[in-house]
Amino acid sequence: MSDIDAQLQGFLDRPCGPYNSWDEVNQAMIRHWCEAMGDTNPVYTDPEFAARSVHGGIVAPPTMMQAWTMRGFTGQWATGSDTREPFEVFQFLEKLGYPAVVAVNCEQTYYRYLRPGDRVHHTSRIEAVSQQKTTALGVGFFVTELEEYWDADGGKVGDMRFRLFKYRAHERPKEHAAAESGKPKKIGRFRPVEGHDTKFFWEGARAGQLLIQRCKDCGTLRHPPGPMCPACQSLDWDTVQSSGRGVVYSFVVMHHPPIPPFDYPNIVVLVELEEGTRLVSQLVDAAPGAVSIGMPVEAVFREVEEGLTLPLFRPCPGGA
Ligand SMILES: [Zn+2]
């Protein structure tokens, strides 16, 4: 065993916690969670249905376990929690030159259902650290944290094994590593994927044409592009050229947070074309306060970066 391996093993099984829940298990949080996750099982939300079920009353979804004790957005643990970080081993690895982290696996085991009124807390320890591994991402160590969830009587609610890869990324080829040359790396726009269904759209844009996909069987227009007609399920399609004229169907003016490479305020518009389809784009040559729903606009093709021509929109001359 190498010196580093021996030191890493020293981080194992140091118990941290408890990490408490902010609130007791309650119907409001269960309802919100089920709604967000799309879980429609009435045993979580309908008291009458739950009373007739094997549970005899409302229970919380087991997969919601983490939600009870999770840190808030501000990073604060619930009152009375241990404030130590369970991942001291990460700081150790960072000093050794492994700064990056990615979550690779999560396994949960459930022992009992939680019910409204239950109090949950969890404890944490590092269960395993691998030897140094080389993956497609880089060189580093797999770290497995074991979180154990408990009820107020010390009964086990569930386990969660969370595995992360703490690593140093492979060096990238020189042409991509502008940072190494001392120049700040310019952040560009996301490049669109040009596949079987979408290539026509971007080729059209480069040629100054706004093309719309059309079903060859029933003539229905569709956007965004896809392989199948949603009206008749035909796989045969061609395209028509849009006039490029339309109206602002909806919009949002982005102020914060400013994300490169856009200029702010950034006017994002959903345009309804004369032909009837809608597309998301950017409104240019307009003051942020001047945009309104129903405003007539027309397409303008701009090479926003080398090799990337986008259909943008501007207010129609003489429109509105
Ligand atoms: Zn069709």
Side-chain angles (χ1 to χ4, degrees), residues 174-193:
K174 284 279 182 262
E175 61 265 29
H176 296 302
E180 285 175 18
S181 69
K183 283 185 232 152
K185 188 172 178 295
K186 187 179 180 308
I187 296 172
R189 298 212 187 205
F190 284 113
R191 296 283 163 147
V193 176

Side-chain angles (χ1 to χ4, degrees), residues 19-21 62-71 77 106-112 114 119-124 145-162:
Y19 302 98
N20 294 328
S21 56
T63 46
M64 194 184 167
M65 183 169 74
Q66 259 189 295
W68 303 112
T69 60
M70 195 175 265
R71 265 196 283 201
W77 292 106
C106 182
E107 296 162 19
Q108 297 189 344
T109 308
Y110 312 117
Y111 301 108
R112 61 155 282 200
L114 288 169
R119 273 280 174 185
V120 196
H121 66 274
H122 81 264
T123 53
S124 165
E145 180 207 15
L146 172 62
E147 289 187 2
E148 293 171 284
Y149 288 77
W150 309 90
D151 63 25
D153 300 323
K156 185 69 97 62
V157 174
D159 290 328
M160 183 174 84
R161 282 183 174 78
F162 192 45

Side-chain angles (χ1 to χ4, degrees), residues 246-261:
V247 296
V248 173
Y249 184 82
S250 185
F251 70 94
V252 62
V253 181
M254 301 290 293
H255 292 271
H256 190 81
I259 300 164

Side-chain angles (χ1 to χ4, degrees), residues 215 218 229 232:
C215 174
C218 75
C229 173
C232 79

Side-chain angles (χ1 to χ4, degrees), residues 97-307:
Y98 302 92
V101 67
V102 62
V104 292
N105 195 25
C106 182
E107 296 162 19
Q108 297 189 344
T109 308
Y110 312 117
Y111 301 108
R112 61 155 282 200
Y113 278 89
L114 288 169
R115 295 169 181 273
D118 269 327
R119 273 280 174 185
V120 196
H121 66 274
H122 81 264
T123 53
S124 165
R125 59 192 163 90
I126 302 301
E127 188 181 48
V129 182
S130 74
Q131 295 193 312
Q132 183 175 285
K133 302 284 184 186
T134 301
T135 73
L137 282 175
V139 176
F141 299 84
F142 288 96
V143 177
T144 307
E145 180 207 15
L146 172 62
E147 289 187 2
E148 293 171 284
Y149 288 77
W150 309 90
D151 63 25
D153 300 323
K156 185 69 97 62
V157 174
D159 290 328
M160 183 174 84
R161 282 183 174 78
F162 192 45
R163 189 165 302 123
L164 300 123
F165 186 51
K166 187 75 179 148
Y167 68 103
R168 174 169 64 232
H170 292 304
E171 280 195 32
R172 289 178 298 169
K174 284 279 182 262
E175 61 265 29
H176 296 302
E180 285 175 18
S181 69
K183 283 185 232 152
K185 188 172 178 295
K186 187 179 180 308
I187 296 172
R189 298 212 187 205
F190 284 113
R191 296 283 163 147
V193 176
E194 297 191 30
H196 292 297
D197 301 319
T198 55
K199 200 172 176 56
F200 78 91
F201 183 84
W202 301 108
E203 284 177 342
R206 285 190 284 273
Q209 299 179 340
L210 187 57
L211 299 179
I212 307 171
Q213 207 176 17
R214 174 174 62 185
C215 174
K216 263 188 168 174
D217 283 309
C218 75
T220 302
L221 302 180
R222 62 181 189 260
H223 186 88
M228 184 180 280
C229 173
C232 79
Q233 286 75 54
S234 169
L235 294 170
D236 292 326
W237 57 271
D238 60 7
T239 61
V240 292
Q241 185 178 346
S242 167
S243 68
R245 287 187 297 273
V247 296
V248 173
Y249 184 82
S250 185
F251 70 94
V252 62
V253 181
M254 301 290 293
H255 292 271
H256 190 81
I259 300 164
F262 301 103
D263 294 322
Y264 283 76
N266 178 16
I267 312 172
V268 181
V269 283
L270 179 63
V271 173
E272 184 166 275
L273 295 169
E274 278 183 343
E275 292 79 7
T277 56
R278 297 177 191 151
L279 79 164
V280 175
S281 183
Q282 184 181 7
L283 189 71
V284 293
D285 305 340
V291 58
S292 60
I293 288 173
M295 174 184 189
V297 291
E298 66 179 12
V300 52
F301 295 87
R302 299 243 167 109
E303 190 175 21
V304 293
E305 283 169 17
E306 195 179 342

Side-chain angles (χ1 to χ4, degrees), residues 34-63:
C34 287
E35 194 177 323
M37 293 296 166
D39 193 328
T40 56
N41 189 336
V43 78
Y44 303 138
T45 50
D46 179 342
E48 282 176 30
F49 180 93
R52 293 194 307 272
S53 76
V54 294
H55 302 292
I58 292 281
V59 291
T63 46

